[in-house]
Amino acid sequence: HRGRGLGGGVVEAALDLVASRGGELLWCNARDPAVAFYARHGFVPHGSLFVEHGLAHQQMYRELPVDPTSSV
């Protein structure tokens, strides 16, 4: 189902949920072929590629805006 926007929708929903609960950062260990996908959603790489379960990964993160009206 690639190319239909489903994965992007899940990532954006996760970002919204974390932000709504006062979260300031979301990170992931992206498989090397998925780095561009996460970059399109505002994630930036951190550190070097590493191997996990036999596959190259890149740690990535995205800082979230702080909502000054949040009571969390």
Side-chain angles (χ1 to χ4, degrees), residues 17-49:
L17 178 64
V18 170
S20 75
R21 294 184 178 186
E24 298 177 13
L25 182 97
L26 192 63
W27 66 271
C28 67
N29 291 335
R31 291 175 300 111
D32 189 39
V35 168
F37 166 81
Y38 287 102
R40 285 193 302 273
H41 292 281
F43 286 77
V44 294
H46 176 75
S48 302
L49 285 174

Side-chain angles (χ1 to χ4, degrees), residues 8 22 36 41 56-57 66 69:
H41 292 281
H57 285 74
V66 176
T69 63

